[in-house]
Amino acid sequence: MLVTDTYQLIGHTPLLKVEIAAPHDVNIYAKLEMFNPGGSIKDRLGMALIQRGIAEGKIDAQTTIIEPTAGNTGIGLAIAALKHHLAVKLVVPEKFSFEKQTLMQALGAEVINTPSDQGITGAIDYAKKLAAELPNAYLPLQFMNPANPDVYQQTLGPEILRDLAGRPLAAFVAGAGSGGTFAGTAKALQAAYPQLENYVVEPAGSILNGGPQHSHRTEGIGVEFVPPFFKDVRINGIQTIEDDAAFHYVRWAARHLALFIGSSSGAALAASLRVAATLPQGANLVTIFPDSSERYLSEHIYD
Ligand code: PMP
């Protein structure tokens, strides 16, 4: 495959049939989003946010992009900003991984840390303040920007449908941080499979199942408020996964699949096995592996 720039490598990731003994012999398929050039599912979003901002006249050649992010969206935005020669400032709670912050800086972005105990909400508030102070700043705000679910509805969902090549699909299982991946992909899939069941994955400590809010080691998923994108998508259940279970499957994937997956992927696999137990014999289930473990080695992801 000959390509002439890195940006062409965004999307078109493989769908892996995961070799695992799932309940009811359910077939689990995982979309391997670590194969995007920036290493995560959020490369798709970075490009979409900048392209939409340009199309809507909110970004010109002098605009500084400012965004609160747990990291992967920051890397995706920094890649898209390079393509369009734009400056980027990323506001990241300091607890997020050293590797992700280093990669954002390597791409030319400025990283500004906010205190971990203020969570993503603190980063959002700080980014808004910074944008108000700069004369020509654009804040894509992935947490409310409809470009977020839209890009997954337009790219990830149709890719999965193509990869399944007509196999019937019973369930879709995906983690939620902003909720864009889940909502957009679920919409595309449920349009093709009206009986589809959609399950959201969150780490224990996230609020969707009404559990108490607390910090967690699983990175990239978990919410502090209900994503606005959930309004117009069917949700059949919420799977709350303990950190230990997520990290168990991170180690399992390395040993059994020769695959390096991040903790949100581990949580997605743990949740998929639970959902499989509720499905008919031999049903097909699709999940998403958003990134790789390599960007969490400093956090001792395999310990
Ligand atoms: N996993 C990882 C590793 C992520 O970085 C993200 C994005 N924060 C997600 C899952 C969740 O994606 P979304 O924001 O679309 O819900």
Side-chain angles (χ1 to χ4, degrees):
M1 178 172 63
L2 176 71
V3 291
T4 50
D5 67 47
T6 312
Y7 314 109
Q8 295 169 22
L9 297 173
I10 296 175
H12 316 291
T13 55
L15 184 71
L16 174 74
K17 179 165 185 310
V18 179
E19 277 310 314
I20 191 163
H24 301 169
D25 296 323
V26 165
N27 301 301
I28 297 179
Y29 295 90
K31 190 76 166 148
L32 302 185
E33 287 293 302
M34 66 288 276
F35 288 111
N36 283 290
S40 91
I41 194 164
K42 291 290 147 182
D43 288 0
R44 298 174 189 263
L45 176 62
M47 208 49 92
L49 290 172
I50 300 243
Q51 280 166 354
R52 174 101 46 130
I54 293 171
E56 290 177 350
K58 293 173 180 157
I59 298 175
D60 61 35
Q62 274 68 50
T63 303
T64 301
I65 312 296
I66 301 180
E67 182 71 358
T69 163
N72 281 330
T73 302
I75 293 169
L77 271 172
I79 289 176
L82 266 182
K83 178 173 162 73
H84 294 280
H85 312 289
L86 296 164
V88 200
K89 292 180 193 287
L90 301 166
V91 184
V92 186
E94 60 194 347
K95 66 183 171 190
F96 290 115
S97 97
F98 164 81
E99 287 88 336
K100 285 194 280 193
Q101 301 197 41
T102 305
L103 294 174
M104 291 180 225
Q105 286 163 332
L107 292 162
E110 183 187 340
V111 173
I112 300 158
N113 284 131
T114 48
S116 295
D117 59 7
Q118 292 176 11
I120 199 70
T121 314
I124 295 173
D125 291 345
Y126 188 80
K128 283 183 178 162
K129 188 169 144 277
L130 204 61
E133 286 165 4
L134 273 178
N136 183 353
Y138 176 60
L139 200 60
L141 279 184
Q142 58 163 328
F143 294 94
M144 6 264 170
N145 192 323
N148 182 355
D150 287 357
V151 72
Y152 296 105
Q153 186 173 2
Q154 288 156 9
T155 69
L156 191 56
E159 285 175 31
I160 292 170
L161 293 174
R162 269 196 303 276
D163 296 339
L164 284 173
R167 290 176 181 83
L169 184 62
F172 173 60
V173 177
S178 69
T181 305
F182 171 81
T185 312
K187 262 189 248 172
L189 297 179
Q190 78 189 24
Y193 298 99
Q195 307 302 319
L196 184 72
E197 294 179 9
N198 298 316
Y199 293 87
V200 181
V201 186
E202 65 167 5
S206 169
I207 57 124
L208 292 173
N209 248 343
Q213 192 182 335
H214 57 78
S215 64
H216 43 82
R217 286 183 65 216
T218 305
E219 244 183 75
I221 56 171
V223 305
E224 295 168 19
F225 50 88
V226 178
F229 313 132
F230 283 4
K231 273 204 284 288
D232 53 352
V233 66
R234 186 167 65 235
I235 298 180
N236 296 81
I238 291 158
Q239 293 288 341
T240 305
I241 303 295
E242 298 289 338
D243 285 340
D244 282 354
F247 285 84
H248 167 80
Y249 285 106
V250 166
R251 293 187 295 270
W252 181 90
R255 290 296 188 94
H256 294 84
L257 304 177
L259 188 67
F260 300 130
I261 62 172
S263 50
S264 72
S265 309
L269 184 51
S272 296
L273 291 165
R274 279 203 210 157
V275 170
T278 70
L279 296 178
Q281 189 72 19
N284 296 318
L285 176 159
V286 164
T287 192
I288 313 276
F289 287 172
D291 71 357
S292 153
S293 60
E294 289 182 77
R295 58 195 45 190
Y296 306 104
L297 293 178
S298 67
E299 299 184 353
H300 308 287
I301 187 166
Y302 289 112
D303 291 355

